[in-house]
Amino acid sequence: MKLGYPCINRSIGCTANSTFRLKSYSKERLLSTVQNNLDCLQKILEWNVEHGFLFFRIGSPLVPFASHPICKIDWVKHFKEQLKSVGDFIKKNKMRISMHPDQFVLINAKDKRIVENSKKELEYHCKLLEAMGLDSTAKVMIHVGGVYGDKEESIGRFIRSYRKLPAFVKKRFVIENDERCYDLKDCLMLSKKMNVPVVFDKFHHECKNNGESVKHGLMLAKKTWKRKDGLIMVHYSDQKKSARKGSHSEHIDLRQFRNFIGQTKGIDFDLMLEIKDKEKSALKAIGILKKLKYFKS
DNA sequence: AGTTGTCAAGCTAGT
DNA sequence: ACTAGCTTGACAACT
């Protein structure tokens, strides 16, 4: 198991998600922002290695406006050396990387422009991982998308749209069960038709399922990951107390975390802790896993 | 220096 | 009808 947290580390004093307003776009602004983001990403990765976190999600704004028509710069070429150097650090330390484009990426949208923008955004994410020299175990995950009042039709659009994606996107493309529209069962069905792996989100599964236990759900999803895809990625969070259903908890609940680890004993997976306080909870979780001999102390 | 409204992009369910 | 929630955080214009 590799353990990680998404996008942000608040103990370092820099962010790899720095961006700016579209209005203030300039070539110089873009280059200096990306430079800053890459420098900080390297620092976060170093901190992660020191603290035993070998799984990390890189935030989408690493290259702001990368998929927007305003961006004419060949950033892959411009940051070639540095991207490769970050990638080499990741490989040297046997780290696992994922990315998760945001809610605007909907390849099953009815509006063709939304699909086209989504495709561009997916291409940006994959180009970035490619430029770092990472293999097909570095994944880019999205939810299936909207229902638009007709789930069958929307699923059909999803499959047709996926088939048109370029190969370098397909090789990293992964779907994740969400808490409202497309649950594990839907994702497994799509996985069978499209031959894509399924991220198992434990919290979303608790919100919406078809009676499968967490352990059984995880094992079903695990089968969708082939050798080239690497170990299954699992997302972990809990329900925030006295908040509406689906909102992620602020801090990790150690009793529930121990319970989850107990339930899934004997199954190997890479675990992403989607807790709002990020590395703070991740440190608590790794403490528990060290005691249980999942990791060396 | 600290506070507050706003930001490229969309959808769903809860209130 | 409205808006929180989703990886919401971080920028930028205002006190």
Side-chain angles (χ1 to χ4, degrees):
Chain A
M1 176 194 282
K2 287 172 186 168
L3 185 66
Y5 58 92
C7 311
I8 292 158
N9 183 309
R10 298 184 212 277
S11 353
I12 290 181
C14 70
T15 173
N17 306 312
S18 191
T19 181
F20 49 87
R21 297 289 175 265
L22 182 57
K23 260 195 321 199
S24 46
Y25 184 94
S26 71
K27 186 182 168 187
E28 294 71 31
R29 185 77 190 262
L30 182 84
L31 293 177
S32 69
T33 303
V34 176
Q35 183 63 54
N36 164 79
N37 286 344
L38 281 171
D39 290 341
C40 186
L41 175 62
Q42 177 64 31
K43 281 184 199 157
I44 295 174
L45 292 172
E46 285 167 14
W47 188 95
N48 287 353
V49 169
E50 272 171 44
H51 293 83
F53 299 112
L54 295 184
F55 189 15
F56 189 66
R57 181 187 301 162
I58 298 173
S60 296
L62 194 85
V63 182
F65 306 106
S67 73
H68 191 282
I70 201 169
C71 180
K72 300 279 200 313
I73 299 174
D74 188 347
W75 51 269
V76 169
K77 194 173 163 193
H78 196 274
F79 292 100
K80 199 176 175 201
E81 295 307 314
Q82 204 169 350
L83 287 165
K84 188 178 173 298
S85 147
V86 172
D88 287 346
F89 182 84
I90 289 164
K91 286 186 273 187
K92 191 181 85 190
N93 291 286
K94 298 189 166 37
M95 302 177 97
R96 189 84 186 275
I97 297 296
S98 69
M99 294 190 81
H100 192 354
D102 62 30
Q103 58 270 38
F104 310 109
V105 172
L106 297 155
I107 66 166
N108 76 346
K110 286 178 145 174
D111 184 335
K112 278 182 183 167
R113 286 167 305 180
I114 297 173
V115 177
E116 193 49 39
N117 291 343
S118 300
K119 187 178 163 216
K120 288 203 179 86
E121 186 71 354
L122 285 167
E123 287 173 351
Y124 148 62
H125 283 78
C126 295
K127 251 163 71 181
L128 183 66
L129 297 173
E130 206 67 42
M132 289 180 178
L134 304 179
D135 66 19
S136 58
T137 64
K139 295 300 189 189
V140 174
M141 61 211 45
I142 59 169
H143 296 294
V144 178
V147 173
Y148 307 93
D150 186 341
K151 202 164 175 180
E152 284 307 305
E153 261 305 306
S154 300
I155 285 173
R157 280 198 308 279
F158 185 80
I159 297 171
R160 290 195 294 278
S161 192
Y162 169 77
R163 294 208 168 120
K164 286 185 213 157
L165 293 172
F168 78 96
V169 171
K170 280 182 179 151
K171 82 171 189 187
R172 300 190 191 276
F173 190 93
V174 170
I175 51 177
E176 175 186 347
N177 60 311
D178 68 76
E179 77 281 25
R180 286 207 279 259
C181 306
Y182 297 92
D183 60 21
L184 179 68
K185 193 177 165 190
D186 298 323
C187 290
L188 291 172
M189 179 276 291
L190 283 165
S191 169
K192 208 165 190 177
K193 286 192 179 172
M194 300 159 59
N195 203 23
V196 298
V198 177
V199 167
F200 180 70
D201 188 304
K202 171 257 179 197
F203 177 39
H204 293 161
H205 185 69
E206 285 170 339
C207 294
K208 190 177 189 300
N209 61 63
N210 295 277
E212 317 92 336
S213 67
V214 165
K215 181 178 184 177
H216 187 221
L218 169 51
M219 288 197 305
L220 291 173
K222 188 174 161 84
K223 288 184 191 145
T224 64
W225 293 70
K226 308 286 174 354
R227 176 176 290 272
K228 66 176 171 36
D229 301 314
L231 200 54
I232 180 173
M233 293 177 175
V234 175
H235 291 175
Y236 179 92
S237 184
D238 293 311
Q239 171 66 39
K240 183 175 178 178
K241 305 277 186 302
S242 63
R244 67 211 279 174
K245 188 176 162 187
S247 76
H248 293 247
S249 54
E250 202 68 35
H251 312 289
I252 194 164
D253 181 325
L254 295 181
R255 194 181 56 79
Q256 293 201 62
F257 183 67
R258 277 198 199 90
N259 186 23
F260 168 73
I261 292 300
Q263 279 171 15
T264 56
K265 202 176 170 181
I267 310 171
D268 200 11
F269 52 89
D270 285 339
L271 185 58
M272 179 62 64
L273 295 169
E274 294 185 327
I275 316 281
K276 294 234 193 268
D277 68 3
K278 310 289 175 184
E279 84 284 356
K280 216 172 144 192
S281 284
L283 283 166
K284 291 182 189 165
I286 206 167
I288 289 177
L289 294 172
K290 280 176 180 170
K291 274 185 199 156
L292 295 170
K293 309 288 179 204
Y294 277 73
F295 301 107
K296 277 177 259 171
S297 296

